[in-house]
Amino acid sequence: MKKIILLICLVLLTGCSANYNLVIDENIYHESLEIANSNYDDTYKSQIENAFNASMPADINYYDPVSTHKVDGINYYTIEKNIDDSNLGITYKYDFYYENYQNSTIVKLFDPKSELLQNNNIVSLNATADYKVFLKYPELDKLNIKITTNKKVYTHNADRVSGNDYYWIILKDDSTSKKINFSYDKYEDKKNVVEEKSNKIIYIILGGILFVGCLFLFIKIKNSNK
């Protein structure tokens, strides 16, 4: 049985922002979309309940905006309803392998032209500033994006970085101009890079101590021969 589905639940974003989180862990991409509203009414509650009881395939190729029933052989997002003292919302979660993430339903509904590329050991994630979600849902004011990884990062244009977390804020006003660029080493961890730098510093310090010691010894021997 088919019925009108709340497309990726973003239709719920009346004056809200959406939080998109991606954790890159080896060859696994842990994706989640969190939506919450502290100013809601009975209609919003009903929409959340409908979205929670619906189903959404993780692969955009199987996405049908008017179908809510599951089909055998297709992978679906895990949907969680979030309730606390002041907020009511919903979260979509799915773990992709690298080769499947480029077909993420959430990503492709956000930005149909987004790319996931690999050149040797360098993986690049690029959003093209074609955020259709702001056109489809004019009530959406802001999209928060966070990418977390312990891999060696080569390039990024994040608005803010905190440890292994890279943050972007996409506002409606700059949704046609703000791109996302992020590239990392698929095989090398950030920890190894830090350790290499630490080892270099240690070697430099030891080398300096050895040089000063040799110089001191040379001067002492020279003075003793006078």
Side-chain angles (χ1 to χ4, degrees), residues 25-166:
D25 181 16
E26 297 302 330
N27 200 40
I28 305 297
Y29 286 55
H30 307 278
E31 180 188 59
S32 69
L33 173 67
E34 302 173 1
I35 301 166
N37 195 340
S38 59
N39 183 21
Y40 56 87
D41 53 18
D42 290 338
T43 300
Y44 179 82
K45 291 180 181 179
S46 177
Q47 290 175 328
I48 285 288
E49 196 63 34
N50 289 339
F52 177 70
N53 293 321
S55 58
M56 186 169 71
D59 191 318
I60 189 65
N61 295 308
Y62 298 104
Y63 177 72
D64 183 349
V66 298
S67 177
T68 62
H69 66 277
K70 291 186 177 181
V71 177
D72 291 342
I74 296 179
N75 296 318
Y76 291 83
Y77 283 97
T78 298
I79 304 175
E80 300 175 353
K81 187 162 52 175
N82 307 321
I83 304 174
D84 59 31
D85 294 339
S86 59
N87 291 283
L88 174 62
I90 199 165
T91 299
Y92 292 87
K93 293 181 178 180
Y94 190 77
D95 295 340
F96 293 88
Y97 287 108
Y98 164 81
E99 54 270 20
N100 304 123
Y101 177 70
Q102 59 188 342
N103 291 325
S104 160
T105 298
I106 290 177
V107 171
K108 289 304 181 182
L109 289 177
F110 278 173
D111 181 3
K113 296 181 181 179
S114 61
E115 297 178 320
L116 177 65
L117 307 172
Q118 181 172 352
N119 183 12
N120 295 321
N121 61 316
I122 307 302
V123 177
S124 300
L125 293 84
N126 303 306
T128 61
D130 186 26
Y131 304 103
K132 298 298 186 184
V133 63
F134 287 98
L135 297 177
K136 293 178 180 178
Y137 306 103
E139 297 86 358
L140 178 61
D141 297 319
K142 182 172 64 173
L143 173 61
N144 300 309
I145 297 175
K146 181 176 76 170
I147 297 178
T148 302
T149 185
N150 66 344
K151 294 298 183 181
K152 177 181 179 181
V153 174
Y154 284 99
T155 60
H156 71 84
N157 62 345
D159 297 319
R160 181 170 67 91
V161 179
S162 177
N164 291 333
D165 299 327
Y166 298 78

